[in-house]
Amino acid sequence: MSQETGPSSQTGLAAEMELLRRARATLDGGDAGAALQDLAAHERAFAAGQMLQDRLLLRMEALCALGKGRQARAEAAVFLRTYPGSTHTARVQTICPESPNVVTD
């Protein structure tokens, strides 16, 4: 078993997943600001981690929840250019849709 697929990388992945699970639960619980803090912790610990795209998607969702649709859509555009074949593409393309009747940002 190589070092990259050994127990330490599995532990690293488990730690990444736990931080993202916590961020998701916090966001689903209605505290988008705290979710962004959890995502910032994930970024500090796992800047280029295996769950990077998941973190970026959750960040966009949290920004939308905070009424920062313009910022979320700007981050979505960067994501789509950077990860054109991502499994998250469909979700990112529809992130925080603009509504002509709602003023945000």
Side-chain angles (χ1 to χ4, degrees):
M1 190 183 281
S2 74
Q3 272 189 310
E4 286 135 82
T5 59
S8 64
S9 69
Q10 291 172 354
T11 302
L13 180 58
E16 271 194 83
M17 290 174 67
E18 180 54 34
L19 278 171
L20 293 180
R21 270 194 291 271
R22 184 171 56 195
R24 167 56 70 194
T26 303
L27 180 59
D28 289 348
D31 192 346
L36 284 176
Q37 291 176 352
D38 289 338
L39 294 169
H42 182 277
E43 184 176 13
R44 285 188 301 275
F46 305 101
Q50 296 178 59
M51 306 295 293
L52 170 63
Q53 292 181 34
D54 300 87
R55 179 183 74 231
L56 296 173
L57 176 58
L58 275 170
R59 178 177 162 74
M60 289 177 248
E61 291 178 8
L63 290 170
C64 289
L66 288 171
K68 297 181 179 187
R70 187 173 305 150
Q71 183 179 350
R73 289 186 296 277
E75 290 185 19
V78 171
F79 182 99
L80 294 170
R81 283 192 306 273
T82 306
Y83 308 104
S86 173
T87 59
H88 297 301
T89 296
R91 176 68 186 115
V92 172
Q93 288 173 328
T94 61
I95 200 80
C96 207
E98 291 184 76
S99 173
N101 299 324
V102 177
V103 177
T104 61
D105 300 338

